[in-house]
Amino acid sequence: TDPVEPEATTEEVVAEPMAETDAMGETDPMAETDGMEDTMATQTIAEIAAGNENLTILTAALQAAGLDTMLMEETKHTVFAPTDNAFRALGVALGVPLNVPADIRKLPKDVVTAVLLNHVIANGGKFNPELGAGSLSPLGGTALTIGAFENGVITVKGKSNTSSAKMVIPDVLTTNGVVHVIDTVLLP
């Protein structure tokens, strides 16, 4: 007998995208996918900061000031999160080396607390386009100046800053707000 050919079928096979891996076989969390990834936040503001290797001094400052627990609560905030390089630049300006996370304890706790509260706005957590040019009142009380929304980001300036901070990573969604990573510490 002659072999029977299988019947043609119209059923499509759908392949799920796979995350890219590096040479060590580790999954690259930043690898592009098909755009259908889950956009639900799973971490708090404090957890996002603690998990970012460029926010180690901020994390230490939050802990030193006792504000890390506030940023784990359900209340939604907008947070401008200065990078480690931003804190290092502040240390140079102050004449106090801020090179490693523990160095933040060289500054008085009340100063660290006042500076950090200048980065937190109790406004429900706003993305870049929602902020708009003008001023915002952070928990520290000294108004921040918000620049116009241009090229997908805004600038923000503290009262005592000589220049505006630029966003390095805008619009990081968390379970309790939105984080905008910035390149300058906002001074009250």
Side-chain angles (χ1 to χ4, degrees):
T1 68
D2 292 318
V4 178
E5 291 288 323
E7 288 186 31
T9 153
T10 59
E11 183 178 322
E12 281 188 52
V13 176
V14 178
E16 293 294 321
M18 293 179 58
E20 293 179 25
T21 57
D22 63 16
M24 301 285 294
E26 306 242 347
T27 300
D28 178 1
M30 301 306 282
E32 290 188 14
T33 64
D34 65 351
M36 299 300 289
E37 62 271 10
D38 184 10
T39 57
M40 294 297 295
T42 60
Q43 294 181 302
T44 65
I45 294 167
E47 291 167 334
I48 289 288
N52 187 309
E53 65 185 22
N54 294 312
L55 300 177
T56 61
I57 298 174
L58 173 62
T59 299
L62 289 169
Q63 292 167 348
L67 297 175
D68 55 328
T69 54
M70 177 187 79
L71 295 178
M72 287 190 274
E73 295 171 357
E74 290 184 23
T75 304
K76 294 193 183 298
H77 297 95
T78 299
V79 173
F80 296 105
T83 62
D84 288 346
N85 284 338
F87 277 102
R88 287 183 190 105
L90 175 64
V92 169
L94 295 174
V96 178
L98 298 176
N99 298 316
V100 297
D103 287 347
I104 201 70
R105 294 187 183 273
K106 294 176 181 176
L107 299 173
K109 181 180 177 178
D110 62 326
V111 170
V112 173
T113 301
V115 168
L116 291 176
L117 289 175
N118 206 47
H119 293 78
V120 181
I121 298 93
N123 64 355
K126 302 289 184 193
F127 289 103
N128 253 316
E130 299 173 300
L131 290 170
S135 67
L136 285 176
S137 295
L139 296 180
T142 305
L144 300 174
T145 302
I146 305 298
F149 181 72
E150 295 178 9
N151 300 320
V153 294
I154 59 165
T155 58
V156 61
K157 184 174 182 274
K159 180 180 178 184
S160 298
N161 290 97
T162 57
S163 61
S164 296
K166 294 171 188 62
M167 294 200 179
V168 178
I169 304 172
D171 299 331
V172 179
L173 180 63
T174 70
T175 59
N176 60 343
V178 178
V179 175
H180 304 286
V181 180
I182 56 175
D183 67 353
T184 304
V185 176
L186 304 174
L187 302 174

